[in-house]
Amino acid sequence: MVINLDLSKYNRHWQGYLYPFPQKRDAFRDCLKALKGRFIGELVGLRRTGKTTIIFQLINHLIQTGVNPASIWYFSFDEVQPSLEPLIAKFSQQTYVRSRSISLGFI
């Protein structure tokens, strides 16, 4: 299945953008601890309670600590729900990151 998505729409940090969410809550610190482990975490909650804000804050943190922005991938399944394989292929195509070197982690 070929998908026609411009993933840069979801990943403005690929062009050097930092997300404007300076105030951090306890949940940010908990998620930051989870990033340091090698396991998949889950960030759940009601709509409009700040889950995406926390993810964008984590992206900012990773970039500010030296992680290559092109290796950080954010995608929202609110608009389209493609399967992961074509989505990973599209990410690899648009960032030039080989799909075999991608390790999946979801928050």
Side-chain angles (χ1 to χ4, degrees):
M1 172 184 182
V2 176
I3 58 173
N4 186 20
L5 287 174
D6 178 8
L7 296 179
S8 65
K9 167 186 172 183
Y10 300 96
N11 296 279
R12 294 181 288 168
H13 55 276
W14 291 349
Q15 287 80 38
Y17 180 83
L18 288 178
Y19 302 97
F21 303 108
Q23 183 179 357
K24 295 182 177 63
R25 296 178 284 152
D26 290 339
F28 168 80
R29 287 177 272 291
D30 294 340
C31 290
L32 192 57
K33 288 178 194 172
L35 276 180
K36 294 178 182 177
R38 294 194 50 92
F39 60 89
I40 296 174
E42 183 176 63
L43 182 58
V44 297
L46 298 173
R47 292 182 56 81
R48 304 198 46 82
T49 57
K51 298 178 300 292
T52 303
T53 297
I54 290 171
I55 290 171
F56 288 152
Q57 289 174 334
L58 290 169
I59 290 170
N60 285 349
H61 174 80
L62 291 170
I63 292 169
Q64 291 166 341
T65 57
V67 174
N68 179 354
S71 69
I72 303 168
W73 175 26
Y74 170 76
F75 184 77
S76 173
F77 288 88
D78 287 343
E79 297 174 20
V80 293
Q81 293 82 34
S83 64
L84 283 179
E85 290 81 13
L87 194 56
I88 291 170
K90 183 60 77 170
F91 168 74
S92 181
Q93 175 189 31
Q94 291 182 8
T95 60
Y96 306 105
V97 173
R98 289 184 26 184
S99 61
R100 288 187 174 181
S101 67
I102 297 171
S103 61
L104 295 178
F106 302 93
I107 295 183

